[in-house]
């Protein structure tokens, strides 16, 4: 009447089935990984395998969530400042560690966020430098937003030299220069540059408090010292004697000349 799912032993009653489990030490649970010949494979086997895979996925997902709360894994994750914790790759952990050595508070956003996906900042072990993705925001009268790709910037490069490289007349740079003609007409050393300050505790912060004056003669490394950076720095550029709080056009999709990233032995 009864057939044990585990060992297929037939019993005559429920009491007999229970006695069989005790005497034989049988669990009575079907072996979900046991081989089933193709000719014997039916819908019940298919549903059992489906449930087995679902259980395996659920257990793995629960384990990953539990591990993210363990102190041992705290070094591999960082608060994103948005109520969640972000798992870091080896490259990101290395970059964040080097930023701490430089007194830069680097914070990452969750995967899928646009700024996180756009970040190509990297630390090169070969020359021990950070190469930053930089968002240049040009303060100008209200106009359609321009999406312009920005190459990485060596941390040892001064801000004015980075600006000069960005705006100089060269093949493939005509679209950018046309949109920023007013800025191209001025020597980069005369442009006003301010750093977007992030992670401010004031709610809501005053708009003028979001910008920190930048000495363009300083290298990017010194400009970012003691600053909080979400993914990559954002620099606001304005014309001489103009209001840096004016409408801002960020640069992020017309390709600029490619910049070769330094080779690095860090693996993700």
């Amino acid at each position: 009447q009864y057939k044990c799912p585990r060992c297929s032993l037939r019993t005559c009653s429920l009491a007999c089935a229970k006695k069989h489990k005790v005497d034989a030490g049988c669990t009575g649970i079907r072996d979900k990984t046991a081989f089933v010949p193709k000719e014997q494979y039916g819908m019940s086997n298919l549903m059992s395998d489906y449930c087995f895979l679902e259980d395996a996925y659920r257990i793995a997902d629960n384990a990953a969530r539990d591990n993210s709360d363990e102190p041992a894994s705290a070094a591999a994750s960082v608060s994103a400042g948005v109520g969640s914790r972000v798992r870091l790759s080896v490259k990101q952990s290395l970059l964040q560690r080097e930023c701490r050595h430089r007194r830069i508070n680097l914070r990452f956003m969750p995967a899928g966020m646009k700024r996180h996906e756009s970040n190509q900042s990297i630390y090169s072990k070969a020359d021990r430098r950070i190469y930053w993705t930089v968002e240049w925001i040009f303060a100008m009268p209200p106009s359609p937003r321009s999406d312009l790709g920005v190459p990485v910037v060596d941390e040892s490069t001064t801000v004015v030299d980075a600006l000069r490289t960005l705006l100089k007349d060269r093949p493939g740079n005509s679209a950018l220069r046309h949109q920023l003609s007013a800025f191209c007409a001025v020597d980069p050393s005369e442009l006003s540059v301010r750093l977007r300050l992030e992670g401010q505790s004031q709610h809501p912060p005053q708009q003028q408090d979001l910008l920190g004056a930048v000495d363009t003669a300083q290298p990017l490394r010194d400009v970012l010292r003691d600053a909080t950076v979400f993914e990559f720095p954002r620099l606001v550029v304005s014309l001489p004697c103009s209001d840096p709080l004016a409408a801002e056009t960020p640069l992020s999709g017309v390709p600029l000349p490619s910049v070769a990233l330094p080779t690095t032995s860090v693996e993700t």
Side-chain angles (χ1 to χ4, degrees):
Q1 185 177 1
Y2 296 96
K3 181 180 179 180
C4 178
R6 182 75 177 184
C7 59
S8 301
L9 180 70
R10 293 186 176 276
T11 54
C12 60
S13 64
L14 179 59
C16 186
K18 291 181 177 180
K19 187 174 185 303
H20 155 67
K21 291 181 181 180
V22 174
D23 294 344
C26 180
T27 62
I29 301 175
R30 186 182 72 85
D31 183 4
K32 298 179 181 180
T33 61
F35 174 75
V36 179
K38 185 177 180 180
E39 57 273 10
Q40 299 178 14
Y41 195 87
M43 183 58 68
S44 61
N45 301 102
L46 177 63
M47 293 304 299
S48 178
D49 289 346
Y50 175 79
C51 293
F52 174 72
L53 294 175
E54 283 288 307
D55 289 342
Y57 174 80
R58 176 179 52 80
I59 292 173
D61 184 63
N62 289 342
R65 292 173 183 270
D66 292 341
N67 288 339
S68 66
D69 295 331
E70 292 295 326
S73 65
S77 61
V78 60
S79 174
V82 289
S84 62
R85 298 188 72 81
V86 179
R87 300 289 296 180
L88 302 184
S89 66
V90 174
K91 286 184 178 180
Q92 291 171 331
S93 297
L94 177 61
L95 176 60
Q96 190 179 60
R97 186 187 69 188
E98 292 300 323
C99 283
R100 282 198 297 267
H101 293 336
R102 292 160 172 75
R103 289 166 49 188
I104 302 172
N105 181 21
L106 175 63
R107 305 174 73 178
F108 291 95
M109 305 183 78
M113 300 293 287
K114 184 176 180 180
R115 202 194 294 194
H116 179 79
E117 299 300 327
S118 301
N119 189 9
Q120 298 182 29
S121 303
I122 189 173
Y123 172 73
S124 170
K125 278 184 158 183
D127 50 14
R128 299 181 180 180
R129 290 182 183 176
I130 295 176
Y131 292 82
W132 287 102
T133 293
V134 176
E135 181 180 2
W136 300 93
I137 304 174
F138 289 83
M140 54 198 309
S143 61
R145 294 173 63 92
S146 301
D147 291 333
L148 306 169
V150 179
V152 292
V153 177
D154 184 340
E155 66 173 350
S156 63
T157 303
T158 62
V159 175
V160 67
D161 285 343
L163 255 179
R164 187 171 283 112
T165 300
L166 181 70
L167 299 176
K168 73 178 181 180
D169 187 8
R170 60 172 179 267
N173 204 33
S174 57
L176 174 64
R177 289 177 55 83
H178 174 71
Q179 295 185 42
L180 303 176
S181 56
F183 294 87
C184 295
V186 179
D187 187 275
S189 61
E190 300 178 14
L191 295 174
S192 173
V193 180
R194 292 175 178 268
L195 174 67
R196 269 283 188 188
L197 303 180
E198 303 182 282
Q200 300 296 298
S201 58
Q202 186 178 352
H203 300 288
Q206 298 297 319
Q207 190 176 13
Q208 62 268 22
D209 295 337
L210 296 177
L211 302 176
V214 168
D215 180 358
T216 58
Q218 286 189 326
L220 185 58
R221 173 174 176 165
D222 293 343
V223 168
L224 298 179
R225 184 176 290 120
D226 297 324
T228 296
V229 176
F230 280 90
E231 295 288 348
F232 49 79
R234 308 173 71 195
L235 296 176
V236 180
V237 185
S238 58
L239 294 168
C241 303
S242 67
D243 183 8
L245 301 179
E248 299 164 359
T249 300
L251 303 188
S252 44
V254 174
L256 292 180
S258 59
V259 175
L261 289 173
T263 56
T264 175
S265 59
V266 182
E267 298 294 336
T268 302

